[in-house]
Each structure stands twice: as structure tokens, then as C-alpha cells.
């Protein structure tokens, strides 16, 4: 029976062998494809790694070069700042020294000004004392002949107080009508820069007349006339004495002439 069925089994064995051979071939092809794929994967991985390394190197080079440039620029900037600081410190030192010299000069100028001011104050006080205690009447006027100030002797002589006559025209205060022309001429001469000397009669506040000797002149600041100054010396007693002498001489002359006529 086995022998009878053996011929029928041989085709199945051949088919199985063929199937095994086919599977073996397919497996070998799959292995080869897998190895080829693994090779390509390895090549691609290596290429990617090489590309990544190259890219990293490039980035590192660019970054390093940028950092080097930034460091160089920072160093240049720091050097520039140090240079500017040195120049600034030098300028500050020079300016400080200059300011110190200026302050010293200013202190000396201030001291000189204070000395001049003290001298002027002393001189002003001296002149004020001279004017205030002068026995001669003194009055000052501006360029329009308006009274600016007068001393106590002026107040005593003409019976006017300074606050009453300040700002008024000198001629309106002192000059009687009969002497107006002469007074205007004297005022005009002093305003032209001339010194004047005259005798005349000036009006007191109570209406009486005072015989005075008049001295006048311009007040100068540099070459500019800023006003006038007038001095009045009371010569009333001298005039009265001279009048008395004249009257006495005339009386004695008349007596002498009358006596000569009697003798003859």
C-alpha cells in the first residue's frame, strides 16, 4: 500500500522543496534589502551628522567671530572712554586751577573795591562834614539849576530849610527882581563850565536882602558837566562897616570943607 501511495507523495515533496527554496530566496532577498536599507540609513545618518557638525562649526565660527568683534569693539569703546575720562580729568583740573586763579583775582578785586569803597565813604563823610560845618553857605544844583542840596549855613543865611527848596530853581528862591538879569548871566556862565565871582544882594525867606559875595562853578564828572555849585559868603557886616566908613568920611569931609569956608 505504501508503495502504491509513494508515487503520489513525490509530487508533494517536490512542491514542498520548491516552496522551501522560494521562501529561502525571499528571505535572502529581504535580508539583502534590509542590509541595503541599513546601509543607506547609515550613510544618511552619517551625512546628517556631518552636516550637523559642519553647521555647528559654521555657527560656532560665526558666533566666535562676532564675539571677537564685539570684544574688540568693547575694548576700543573702553579705551575711548578711558581716554575721554583722562581728557575730562585734565580739563577739570585745568578749569579748577583757572577757577582758583579767577577766585583769587576776584578776591583781590573785591578787596580793592572794598578799600576804594571805604576810602570813598571816608572821603564822602569828610566832605559832608566840611560842607555841613562850613560857615559859608553852599548849594548845589543840576543842569536845569534846580536845587539838589544845601548846607546848614545856607539855611541860616537865607532862612530856608533844605526840604523846602529842594527841586526849586535857585534863581526863583534867592534872586530879587532887580538882580534877575545878572543872576541869569552867572548861571549861564557856570553851566558853560566857567567859574564866576561877584557880589550882590540875595533874598531871604522873610523878604529882607542879604549882601553876599558869590562864588560859582560847574560840577564835573570827567569832562561832563552834571550841575553847578554856588557859595555865598555873608558880607552884610562888612558892607555896613564900609557904608559907615563912607558916611563918616563924607561927614568929616563936609565938616572940613565947612571949616575951610569959615576960616576963609
Amino acid at each position: 500500500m505504501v508503495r502504491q501511495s509513494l508515487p503520489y507523495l513525490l509530487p508533494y515533496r517536490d512542491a514542498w522543496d520548491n516552496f522551501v527554496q522560494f521562501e529561502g530566496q525571499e528571505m535572502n532577498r529581504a535580508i539583502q534589502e534590509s542590509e541595503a536599507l541599513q546601509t543607506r540609513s547609515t550613510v544618511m545618518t552619517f551625512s546628517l551628522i556631518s552636516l550637523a557638525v559642519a553647521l555647528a562649526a559654521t555657527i560656532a565660527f560665526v558666533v566666535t567671530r562676532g564675539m571677537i568683534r564685539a570684544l574688540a569693539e568693547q575694548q576700543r569703546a573702553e579705551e575711548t572712554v578711558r581716554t575721554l575720562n583722562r581728557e575730562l580729568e585734565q580739563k577739570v583740573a585745568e578749569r579748577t586751577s583757572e577757577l582758583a586763579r579767577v577766585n583769587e583775582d576776584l578776591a583781590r578785586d573785591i578787596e580793592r573795591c572794598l578799600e576804594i569803597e571805604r576810602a570813598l565813604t571816608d572821603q564822602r563823610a569828610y566832605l559832608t562834614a566840611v560842607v555841613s560845618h562850613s560857615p559859608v553857605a553852599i548849594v548845589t544844583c543840576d543842569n536845569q539849576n534846580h536845587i539838589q542840596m544845601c548846607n546848614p549855613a545856607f539855611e541860616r543865611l537865607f532862612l530856608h530849610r533844605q526840604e523846602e527848596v529842594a527841586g526849586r530853581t535857585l534863581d526863583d528862591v534867592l534872586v530879587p527882581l532887580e538882580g534877575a538879569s545878572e543872576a541869569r548871566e552867572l548861571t549861564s556862565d557856570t553851566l558853560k563850565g566857567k567859574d564866576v565871582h561877584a557880589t550882590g544882594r540875595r533874598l531871604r525867606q522873610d523878604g529882607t536882602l542879604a549882601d553876599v559875595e558869590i562864588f560859582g562853578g560847574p560840577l564835573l564828572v570827567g569832562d561832563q558837566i552834571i550841575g553847578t555849585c554856588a557859595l555865598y559868603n555873608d558880607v552884610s557886616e562888612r558892607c555896613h562897616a564900609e557904608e559907615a566908613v563912607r558916611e563918616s568920611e563924607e561927614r568929616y569931609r563936609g565938616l572940613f570943607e565947612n571949616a575951610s569956608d569959615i576960616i576963609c
Side-chain angles (χ1 to χ4, degrees), residues 24-223:
Q25 290 177 354
E26 290 295 325
M27 185 176 293
N28 289 333
R29 187 168 57 254
I31 291 172
Q32 290 177 356
E33 290 179 356
S34 176
E35 289 177 351
L37 181 60
Q38 183 177 4
T39 300
R40 287 194 300 271
S41 298
T42 301
V43 172
M44 184 176 294
T45 301
F46 180 77
S47 299
L48 290 175
I49 292 174
S50 299
L51 180 61
V53 170
L55 182 61
T58 302
I59 293 173
F61 173 76
V62 172
V63 171
T64 302
R65 185 174 62 179
M67 291 178 64
I68 292 174
R69 288 180 178 177
L71 289 174
E73 291 177 358
Q74 182 178 358
Q75 289 176 353
R76 286 194 297 270
E78 290 176 353
E79 183 62 27
T80 301
V81 170
R82 286 193 293 270
T83 302
L84 292 175
N85 286 336
R86 286 194 297 269
E87 293 177 354
L88 181 59
E89 290 174 357
Q90 182 178 359
K91 290 180 179 179
V92 169
E94 293 175 354
R95 185 59 176 169
T96 302
S97 177
E98 182 181 354
L99 288 176
R101 290 194 298 270
V102 170
N103 287 334
E104 292 176 358
D105 294 339
L106 182 60
R108 286 193 293 267
D109 291 340
I110 292 174
E111 184 61 28
R112 284 195 295 269
C113 289
L114 291 176
E115 292 177 357
I116 293 172
E117 184 177 356
R118 287 192 291 268
L120 290 175
T121 300
D122 294 342
Q123 186 178 13
R124 190 180 301 112
Y126 175 79
L127 293 175
T128 300
V130 169
V131 171
S132 297
H133 295 89
S134 172
V136 178
I138 301 174
V139 62
T140 60
C141 302
D142 61 16
N143 284 330
Q144 283 73 44
N145 204 32
H146 294 143
I147 296 174
Q148 299 295 301
M149 62 80 63
C150 61
N151 69 342
F154 182 93
E155 294 178 340
R156 290 191 298 270
L157 176 59
F158 298 110
L159 307 178
H160 288 288
R161 297 182 62 82
Q162 176 171 291
E163 56 268 19
E164 296 172 351
V165 297
R168 296 176 59 187
T169 302
L170 180 61
D171 292 349
D172 292 342
V173 173
L174 298 183
V175 178
L177 292 177
E178 61 271 16
S181 177
E182 177 192 6
R184 284 195 298 269
E185 184 177 351
L186 293 175
T187 300
S188 176
D189 287 342
T190 55
L191 288 174
K192 291 177 182 177
K194 297 179 181 179
D195 294 325
V196 298
H197 178 214
T199 56
R201 311 189 80 184
R202 291 295 182 264
L203 189 65
R204 292 189 177 98
Q205 188 182 35
D206 61 2
T208 61
L209 294 174
D211 293 302
V212 292
E213 186 177 13
I214 306 167
F215 299 89
L219 295 176
L220 298 173
V221 175
D223 296 330

